[in-house]
Amino acid sequence: MKRGLKEIRWSLKRRYIAYTTTLIIVLMIVVGYVEKNQEERLLIDKAEQNGITLVEALGVSCTNTLLYQELGLIEEGGLLDNYILQIMKNKKLHVVYAMILDKDNRIIAHNDYKKYGRIYNDSVSLKATSAKKTLKQYYYDPIKKIKILDVATPLAISTKKWGTLRVGFSMEFMKPFLIKLYIEIILVALGFIFVSVIITWVLAKRLTEPISKLSDAMDKISSDLSHPEIEIKNRDEIGLLGEKFNKMIDRLRQAKKDLEKAQSQIIQSEKLASIGRLAAGVAHEINNPLDGIKDCFQMILKEPDNREQTSKYIKLIMDGLKRIELIVRELLDFSKDRTYEMEEVDVNEIAESSLSLVNYRIEKKKIVFKKEFCKEITKVFGNKYQLQQVLINLIMNSLDAVDGSGVVKVSTERENGFVNIKVSDNGSGISKNNLNKIFDPFFTTKEQGKGTGLGLSVSLGIVEKHKGKIEAESKEGVGSTFKVSLPLIR
Ligand SMILES: Nc1ncnc2c1ncn2[C@@H]1O[C@H](COP(=O)(O)OP(=O)(O)OP(=O)(O)O)[C@@H](O)[C@H]1O
Ligand SMILES: [Mg+2]
């Protein structure tokens, strides 16, 4: 079964593109993920750093204020609230709350006045108020539904602590930045994937094109060995493959030549075998007119002056010599080992000349011989000597199969663009078992020395070379008919 490259669903090109694209996509997902995390980290770090700096700076002012208040240098309240107000005013800082707690963790200043005097006991607040140095904590505010960074710094000088400053920063400001970042990463990744797929596709095409070309050339050469060799353009693996294929084709061509030579040798030896069997008959064919010629000369010698009689016998001598010349020429022609060129030949003529070679055997057998040739033109494209070989073998087979009361018939006819040559007999016939073996080389039922078993196998080879068919019909004890059909030249 032949499979073209186009029929392969998962071609090398597709597979190459699929694998590379998958690899690029996976790579881009990993790189994108790492990049996203890094950018996020940078943003958070910056926000934390800003928050801590701000809270620590404000913490110094608050500590001073609390110290001065304790010393009675300034009045309580006012100033701390002012700090809180200032920090809340600056929208760029994304402050959600700001509060100052005293050493008992009671709120003494808050952006929300209602919270004054309160004490928080939640874990975040407890951690914030007990911290020895600036502490950052994250928590989720379920009411505002936002993530908050809580920065707390102790308001202390050395071991003396007055309280704690706590500022909550909303982390929501990061969201638009992050969304922008994600879109950027996705767009860059998609762009990269797109460009990579195009590059991969071009590369895959360049890589697989020589393979497709090689495959096409291989297809052409395999169906026709005479097709020119594959052109090797690149000295790469594919070029090497092409070179090896060319070498293989060379060997195939040589093998084909050897096979053809062996076949023609078989044909020739089969022919020589049948010539051997014809020779005795041909000798008789020559002997008969020779006897006649001898008689004619004797008659002439008896009355050398009888000019009328002499010219009559000379005519007869000429006829006899012509007959001898014809039979000798036919035999010589037939026996020559020649190159078998195909030309326009006439099947009736071939049948006639074949008969002249087997004529003696027909006569000797004393059987009824019938000849029925088609009156229309029976020209085919072929080789006279090879077709003669087929016919002689078929007729000799029939003659071998019949005995004294036998009938052998040779006929030609035209049918549906073909010329049929039929050789039939009412001889021994072929058993069912043997019928499918008769075309095998060396299959014979004849005794040793009488048949090589090559006749029909060589005939089949010749007929097939002529783009024709050979069929056998036979019934044991009834007879056989062999039909050779050759395409007619119109
Ligand atoms: N007309 C026929 N009648 C009966 N048997 C036949 C006939 N033609 C062929 N056969 C059978 O087919 C066999 C093979 O024929 P084939 O012509 O190939 O070889 P062969 O005649 O035995 O030997 P060769 O032709 O090589 O001298 C014969 O031995 C014979 O048994
Ligand atoms: Mg034979």
Side-chain angles (χ1 to χ4, degrees):
M1 198 170 65
K2 213 173 85 178
R3 229 161 51 115
L5 272 188
K6 287 180 191 79
E7 289 161 54
I8 302 174
R9 213 159 69 87
W10 274 102
S11 65
L12 212 61
K13 189 165 124 191
R14 277 195 198 176
R15 250 186 296 166
Y16 179 76
I17 293 173
Y19 293 158
T20 321
T21 310
T22 314
L23 193 77
I24 291 167
I25 290 173
V26 171
L27 208 75
M28 283 325 293
I29 289 173
V30 173
V31 169
Y33 184 75
V34 171
E35 175 68 15
K36 174 203 132 230
N37 278 359
Q38 225 166 24
E39 290 288 328
E40 250 178 35
R41 192 67 256 156
L42 273 175
L43 260 173
I44 291 170
D45 280 355
K46 205 175 148 204
E48 280 177 0
Q49 207 49 53
N50 286 347
I52 290 169
T53 313
L54 180 83
V55 172
E56 280 182 344
L58 192 67
V60 173
S61 306
C62 292
T63 312
N64 286 343
T65 308
L66 285 170
L67 174 70
Y68 294 153
Q69 275 179 8
E70 197 181 84
L71 292 173
L73 293 174
I74 51 170
E75 275 180 30
E76 274 187 34
L79 213 48
L80 291 179
D81 288 331
N82 199 31
Y83 290 147
I84 300 285
L85 207 70
Q86 289 307 318
I87 200 172
M88 289 306 291
K89 254 191 193 167
N90 194 342
K91 294 289 169 217
K92 278 186 198 155
L93 299 174
H94 311 288
V95 177
V96 189
Y97 58 78
M99 63 181 103
I100 299 167
L101 304 107
D102 66 10
K103 54 183 183 296
D104 303 321
N105 299 338
R106 197 183 303 275
I107 293 172
I108 51 171
H110 198 292
N111 58 303
D112 184 357
Y113 295 109
K114 288 177 224 132
K115 308 253 167 88
Y116 271 83
R118 280 195 199 171
I119 297 174
Y120 289 127
N121 285 323
D122 59 283
S123 66
V124 178
S125 302
L126 287 176
K127 265 192 196 163
T129 47
S130 58
K132 294 275 180 287
K133 53 182 187 178
T134 310
L135 174 78
K136 61 177 197 307
Q137 295 179 88
Y138 284 98
Y139 71 92
Y140 183 73
D141 184 337
I143 301 161
K144 288 196 177 97
K145 293 197 173 96
I146 53 172
K147 195 180 161 191
I148 287 174
L149 164 67
D150 182 281
V151 182
T153 189
L155 304 174
I157 299 173
S158 180
T159 50
K160 170 114 173 100
K161 184 176 172 182
W162 283 274
T164 310
L165 168 66
R166 268 181 80 188
V167 180
F169 298 94
S170 163
M171 296 306 272
E172 290 307 291
F173 80 96
M174 273 174 52
K175 257 192 185 161
F177 284 107
L178 287 179
I179 289 171
K180 210 177 133 213
L181 179 75
Y182 296 157
I183 292 174
E184 260 171 27
I185 289 175
I186 289 170
L187 284 180
V188 168
L190 284 179
F192 191 80
I193 289 169
F194 179 72
V195 173
S196 317
V197 167
I198 288 181
I199 293 173
T200 311
W201 188 80
V202 172
L203 280 179
K205 204 166 138 56
R206 284 189 64 173
L207 211 74
T208 54
E209 217 166 50
I211 300 179
S212 304
K213 278 189 183 156
L214 188 68
S215 158
D216 284 350
M218 280 177 172
D219 254 4
K220 278 182 194 142
I221 296 180
S222 353
S223 53
D224 175 14
L225 278 183
S226 62
H227 201 274
E229 292 198 336
I230 291 171
E231 216 181 309
I232 311 292
K233 281 193 188 137
N234 296 330
R235 302 251 118 226
D236 53 12
E237 286 87 340
I238 295 162
L240 206 69
L241 194 68
E243 223 172 85
K244 295 242 159 92
F245 182 77
N246 279 343
K247 276 190 188 145
M248 191 186 80
I249 290 297
D250 270 352
R251 284 200 292 271
L252 266 178
R253 282 187 187 130
Q254 190 52 44
K256 196 182 167 217
K257 259 191 211 154
D258 291 348
L259 187 72
E260 279 168 355
K261 205 169 146 197
Q263 271 172 344
S264 74
Q265 273 166 359
I266 291 177
I267 295 178
Q268 185 60 13
S269 37
E270 197 278 336
K271 198 161 75 175
L272 289 176
S274 52
I275 287 169
R277 298 181 67 198
L278 287 170
V282 171
H284 273 91
E285 287 284 301
I286 296 168
N287 255 348
N288 287 346
L290 266 184
D291 280 346
I293 292 168
K294 218 161 71 190
D295 290 345
C296 288
F297 275 118
Q298 268 164 3
M299 296 306 282
I300 293 170
L301 277 176
K302 267 186 194 166
E303 284 179 71
D305 297 329
N306 187 344
R307 297 198 78 187
E308 202 183 317
Q309 187 186 274
T310 305
S311 70
K312 193 181 104 191
Y313 283 123
I314 284 179
K315 234 186 195 166
L316 284 174
I317 289 168
M318 281 305 286
D319 285 350
L321 285 175
K322 268 188 199 152
R323 176 92 199 115
I324 293 169
E325 193 197 0
L326 179 86
I327 190 85
V328 170
R329 203 178 48 226
E330 289 287 359
L331 189 71
L332 280 177
D333 261 5
F334 180 61
S335 56
K336 260 186 211 156
D337 188 5
R338 49 183 94 238
T339 51
Y340 292 106
E341 266 147 29
M342 308 281 263
E343 57 191 346
E344 211 176 278
V345 288
D346 187 83
V347 168
N348 281 350
E349 271 172 27
I350 291 170
E352 202 68 73
S353 62
S354 310
L355 284 174
S356 64
L357 284 171
V358 289
N359 192 35
Y360 177 75
R361 281 177 70 93
I362 296 172
E363 280 174 9
K364 200 181 152 202
K365 269 259 166 174
K366 296 193 175 58
I367 46 138
V368 179
F369 181 77
K370 290 184 185 166
K371 191 170 93 176
E372 210 175 279
F373 285 178
C374 175
K375 299 270 181 303
E376 292 167 276
I377 297 165
T378 50
K379 289 230 160 107
V380 297
F381 191 67
N383 180 274
K384 177 185 167 187
Y385 306 101
Q386 288 199 332
L387 293 176
Q388 225 176 1
Q389 198 172 344
V390 174
L391 266 176
I392 288 174
N393 180 56
L394 294 182
I395 298 168
M396 300 249 279
N397 279 352
S398 281
L399 291 175
D400 285 342
V402 293
D403 51 26
S405 60
V407 180
V408 173
K409 184 176 165 188
V410 177
S411 65
T412 59
E413 63 178 18
R414 282 167 56 134
E415 187 191 34
N416 300 331
F418 280 83
V419 180
N420 296 335
I421 312 155
K422 281 187 190 160
V423 178
S424 52
D425 62 73
N426 62 350
S428 56
I430 306 161
S431 71
K432 251 194 185 162
N433 213 11
N434 284 349
L435 198 59
N436 46 26
K437 294 188 208 148
I438 54 171
F439 290 101
D440 295 348
F442 305 110
F443 175 79
T444 180
T445 55
K446 292 169 191 171
E447 56 193 76
Q448 232 185 354
K450 279 213 160 175
T452 58
L454 280 175
L456 285 177
S457 89
V458 164
S459 300
L460 177 71
I462 292 173
V463 172
E464 279 178 348
K465 215 172 104 184
H466 283 72
K467 298 194 167 48
K469 272 188 308 188
I470 179 163
E471 289 165 88
E473 254 176 56
S474 187
K475 211 168 176 191
E476 213 173 356
V478 178
S480 322
T481 299
F482 283 80
K483 183 169 102 177
V484 174
S485 309
L486 299 168
L488 192 69
I489 299 180
R490 278 154 207 275

